Amino acid sequence: MRPELWAGLLIAAPALAEPRFTDRAPDLGIDHVYDGGWTHFVGGGVASFDCDGDLRPELFLAGGVNPATFLRNTSDANVSFAADPDAIPDLTGVVGAYPLDIDSDGLLDLFVLRVGPNRVLRGLGDCRFADVTDALGLDGGDRWSTAFTATWEQGNTRPTLAVGNYVDRTDPDGPFEACDVNLLYRPEGGAYPAPQDLTPGFCPLSALFSDWGRKGRADLRLSNDRHYYVRGGQEQMWAMEAYPRLYGQADGWQDHQLWGMGIASRDLTGDGRPEVFLSSMGDQRLQGLGEGAGPHFADMPFAMGTTAHRPFIGDDGRPSTGWHIAFGDVQNDGRDDVFIAKGNVDQMPGNAMEDPNNLLLRTDEGRFVEAAAEAGMADTARSRGAVLTDLNLDGRLDLVVVNRRAPVRIYENLTQATGHWLMVSVTQAGVNSQAVGAWVELEVDGRVMTREITVGGGHASGQAGLQHFGLGAVSEAKLRVIWPDGTTGPWWPVTAGHIVTLHRAAGGEVLSGD
């Protein structure tokens, strides 16, 4: 996508107040910390999802050597949470977690990444979970798992799962050039046979199944950490054929290396195909899909303001270390913004120690400008995983950030004079209840905003539930869904300021709202 096209694809928005956030965690007595030695330098994820039916997302926080924590959402006008120790089994060694409905019973489950055996926690209703890993026939392994993504391949009643494993802890010649194999779990009926090895593995820290070219098939992208693969490795994308194969230069794939930490995707240009944002030590890379049939991704220009390669406050001029990346419209002006969690791995002398998180606001010219300090979220703790989601259903996106060796932050968005908004839940009867793989399209003032429903990405952090759209000054829009099987639904009129559910059953689509 040519950069000169960006500005023309933006919604005209009124003058809005600058974003303002406040951390509610201290007043709530929530001081959860992600901690641990070498194997917990990475990870530190959070999963957000509704498990009690009120649409407000609960939180599952990875703890590393500390126990994982479950927080029940008790928000009303203000963001509020309470610990619920009976919700989940006792788990330590947790790196991160991702919500998905693995058995299509309409209740969200959790895939939990660990240093040690990974676990699947089945949702039982009312935010109670049971370990069903063995019942699914799924081999949780005993590796250092740091990346996860899932998709429903055609004809399957269970999702295909991909697990990225970091350094092989058992390799006596490691840790450098000792990356472990990655695993692909393809279901057979209601169970999972032994996984396929995806080799070579190059120490991934994030993974994402995405139908990058809108061709009807989700392929697997892995972002890999060159700190440990050292040489001979690169970023990877697997074509999900009957037997997966790596895309190469003959397919249009461009070889490149980075200290890959997180993946986020969002259609920013209005062409219906998602751009990809990759976090790293040093520059963060926003990439767009070029012309042609293959997966030819190229970096967006430096002038877009997205590289966020050094701290923007303080006197530490060394390169930044980016982790989780999240897209979202924090002012509801109709333009997606970007949050980037930052923090030194531990004591890496070549990188900044005082490394504030970024909030990049998209301007009406299409560029991004830094606003984290003014917004109140320029934290210099060693941040890791995060979610950007509406915690109290007031139409404004809030933020949760897990930190290494520092308490979690639960930021409430208190921005005044925001634009209009809409939130959308997409569900279907039968297999794949959350419609993973669907495309949500919202036509607003002549522009179509496109979202792909995915499981994965981020850094050890996943979220499920409502799709949030900022609408700017526009109060009326049209909504439709292209379902995972390729069926295109009709356009539905929707009104700003509402939460709507579009559900597909045997009799067709039904739109309902608050």
Side-chain angles (χ1 to χ4, degrees), residues 38-39 115-116 142-145 167-172 178 180:
W38 174 57
T39 53
V115 179
D142 187 14
R143 302 177 187 270
W144 182 0
S145 297
V167 174
D168 182 352
R169 298 156 21 247
T170 67
D171 190 328
D180 210 340

Side-chain angles (χ1 to χ4, degrees), residues 8 22 47 70 77 91 101 104 176 187 192 217 220 224 227 237 249 259 272 315-316 390 395 480 498:
T22 189
F70 184 88
L91 287 171
D101 186 1
S104 297
F176 297 103
Y192 288 92
R217 184 187 72 193
L220 172 62
N224 300 310
H227 182 73
M237 182 180 281
Q249 291 185 351
W259 291 266
D315 58 2
D316 194 334
D390 188 350
R480 76 172 180 183
H498 292 279

Side-chain angles (χ1 to χ4, degrees), residues 110-245:
L110 283 169
F111 193 98
V112 181
L113 298 173
R114 299 179 67 238
V115 179
N118 297 323
R119 312 312 297 168
V120 177
L121 303 184
R122 184 184 179 217
L124 305 177
D126 194 29
C127 298
R128 292 295 180 266
F129 296 86
D131 189 331
V132 294
T133 314
D134 295 338
L136 288 171
L138 193 145
D139 180 3
D142 187 14
R143 302 177 187 270
W144 182 0
S145 297
T146 49
F148 176 79
T149 185
T151 190
W152 265 259
E153 294 185 279
Q154 190 168 4
N156 288 341
T157 59
R158 292 275 197 257
T160 295
L161 315 174
V163 175
N165 297 308
Y166 203 44
V167 174
D168 182 352
R169 298 156 21 247
T170 67
D171 190 328
D173 298 322
F176 297 103
E177 300 184 77
C179 294
D180 210 340
V181 299
N182 303 313
L183 301 175
L184 184 71
Y185 296 83
R186 276 179 156 161
E188 291 183 2
Y192 288 92
Q196 294 175 263
D197 289 354
L198 296 179
T199 56
F202 295 135
C203 293
L205 286 173
S206 54
L208 181 64
F209 276 120
S210 173
D211 183 3
W212 52 271
R214 303 291 296 266
K215 300 176 184 298
R217 184 187 72 193
D219 291 327
L220 172 62
R221 184 158 186 165
L222 299 173
S223 193
N224 300 310
D225 183 5
R226 69 182 299 177
H227 182 73
Y228 283 119
Y229 72 69
V230 183
R231 57 186 173 181
Q234 60 165 298
E235 296 291 281
Q236 293 172 303
M237 182 180 281
W238 292 85
M240 291 299 294
E241 298 169 354
Y243 193 87
R245 68 172 180 87

